[in-house]
């Protein structure tokens, strides 16, 4: 990669980081202006158009390039859905997930906040990203002997339920992380106790979901009405 290409890539990432930083202050993506982003990056507004067509294209690129890469790395590290022989697969996976959330809070804050946010382009990009990773996780689950009896359709539904459950923990976990890092008067032992309790509860929820799936039969009929 030439120095010019490297500089262009760095500037592109600077735009992504500017959006993430602004969203961490409480702004929604749809409320962020192009001028705000360029001011954060330290470039003139016209420089923006060398990288993106508009704010919507910036949002889509952020989801696909940055958040997609983060989810891919996390998925490779998680033990759920992979054929492993060691103990405490679920517990270790939950710990890794919440550790990743703590290490990259701006990414996860953006994902959960904008998943149902005001920007249609970002919403659709996040939805497509989650569907893609749900499909891959469903395929990974087929490697587990515990889920070999479940058909592809049900494994995909199981993976979607798992991802939605994981996402439901993010804001509560980030609030505990923020308290620990930013509040000088915080009782660190109390925060640690709350984090351990949440870790326990999250692990138990995941166990209930996946152990329940172990006993599920894909031949089970699902009726929506008595008709």
């Amino acid at each position: 990669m030439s120095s010019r290409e490297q500089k262009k890539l760095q500037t592109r990432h600077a735009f992504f980081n500017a959006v993430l930083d602004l969203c961490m202050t409480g702004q929604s993506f749809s409320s962020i202006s192009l001028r705000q982003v360029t001011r954060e990056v330290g470039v003139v507004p016209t420089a923006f158009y060398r990288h993106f067509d508009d704010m919507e294209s910036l949002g889509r690129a952020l989801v696909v390039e940055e958040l997609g890469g983060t989810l891919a790395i996390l998925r490779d590290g998680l033990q759920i859905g992979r054929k492993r022989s060691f103990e405490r697969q679920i517990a270790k996976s939950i710990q890794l997930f919440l550790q990743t959330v703590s290490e990259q809070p701006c990414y996860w804050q953006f994902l959960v906040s904008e998943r149902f946010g005001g920007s249609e382009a970002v919403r659709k990009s996040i939805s497509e990203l989650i569907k893609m990773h749900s499909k891959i996780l469903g395929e990974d689950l087929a490697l587990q002997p515990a889920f070999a009896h479940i058909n592809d359709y049900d494994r995909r539904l199981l993976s979607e339920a798992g991802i939605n459950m994981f996402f439901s923990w993010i804001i509560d976990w980030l609030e505990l992380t923020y308290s620990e890092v930013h509040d000088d008067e915080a009782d660190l032992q109390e925060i640690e106790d709350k984090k351990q309790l949440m870790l326990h509860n999250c692990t138990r929820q995941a166990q209930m979901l996946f152990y329940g799936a172990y006993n599920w039969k894909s031949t089970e009929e699902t009726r929506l009405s008595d008709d």
Side-chain angles (χ1 to χ4, degrees):
M1 183 180 296
S2 67
S3 58
R4 182 179 179 181
E5 290 172 328
Q6 287 180 336
K7 186 175 181 180
K8 185 176 181 178
L9 184 61
Q10 289 173 352
T11 304
R12 189 176 180 86
H13 282 290
F15 281 118
F16 293 153
N17 291 332
V19 169
L20 294 172
D21 289 343
L22 288 167
C23 287
M24 284 292 284
T25 66
Q27 281 192 257
S28 64
F29 177 79
S30 59
S31 72
I32 297 173
S33 69
L34 187 152
R35 287 189 176 277
Q36 276 183 289
V37 174
T38 54
R39 186 164 58 244
E40 285 284 319
V41 176
V43 297
V44 295
T46 53
F48 175 92
Y49 295 104
R50 298 174 192 154
H51 302 270
F52 309 102
D53 294 332
D54 50 28
M55 285 294 294
E56 298 285 76
S57 67
L58 166 58
R60 285 192 295 267
L62 169 58
V63 172
V64 173
E65 296 176 27
E66 290 290 297
L67 306 183
T70 297
L71 283 179
I73 293 171
L74 174 63
R75 191 189 66 242
D76 288 341
L78 289 175
Q79 307 309 326
I80 295 175
R82 299 288 184 170
K83 191 172 182 179
R84 298 285 193 271
S85 59
F86 54 73
E87 297 179 354
R88 297 177 58 245
Q89 281 181 286
I90 292 177
K92 290 181 179 180
S93 295
I94 304 305
Q95 290 174 18
L96 175 60
F97 173 69
L98 294 177
Q99 177 186 338
T100 303
V101 172
S102 295
E103 291 172 349
Q104 297 178 309
C106 55
Y107 284 12
W108 297 100
Q109 171 86 13
F110 185 89
L111 268 175
V112 295
S113 299
E114 298 301 326
R115 186 181 182 185
F116 307 108
S119 168
E120 182 180 1
V122 172
R123 283 201 316 272
K124 285 184 176 180
S125 295
I126 293 175
S127 176
E128 291 170 1
L129 184 68
I130 291 174
K131 286 178 181 178
M132 180 185 71
H133 284 277
S134 295
K135 180 178 181 295
I136 295 172
L137 179 57
E139 294 168 352
D140 288 345
L141 287 173
L143 300 175
Q144 283 278 16
F147 306 115
H149 65 291
I150 302 176
N151 63 32
D152 291 343
Y153 177 78
D154 286 350
R155 277 195 293 264
R156 181 176 59 79
L157 293 179
L158 176 60
S159 66
E160 288 178 0
I163 287 177
N164 285 328
M165 182 174 62
F166 275 45
F167 274 40
S168 72
W169 302 330
I170 292 173
I171 294 299
D172 287 341
W173 186 259
L174 285 177
E175 287 182 353
L176 289 174
T177 303
Y178 291 153
S179 296
E180 180 180 2
V181 173
H182 299 296
D183 190 347
D184 294 335
E185 298 180 359
D187 185 330
L188 297 183
Q189 185 57 54
E190 180 182 358
I191 293 173
E192 183 58 30
D193 291 343
K194 288 181 178 179
K195 291 175 79 170
Q196 287 301 312
L197 176 60
M198 183 173 175
L199 182 59
H200 173 273
N201 292 343
C202 292
T203 302
R204 198 163 182 82
Q205 284 181 324
Q207 288 172 328
M208 292 168 69
L209 174 67
F210 288 101
Y211 290 171
Y214 176 74
N215 295 300
W216 173 253
K217 296 179 180 179
S218 289
T219 55
E220 184 74 27
E221 183 183 4
T222 299
R223 299 180 62 181
L224 301 182
S225 68
D226 294 330
D227 297 336

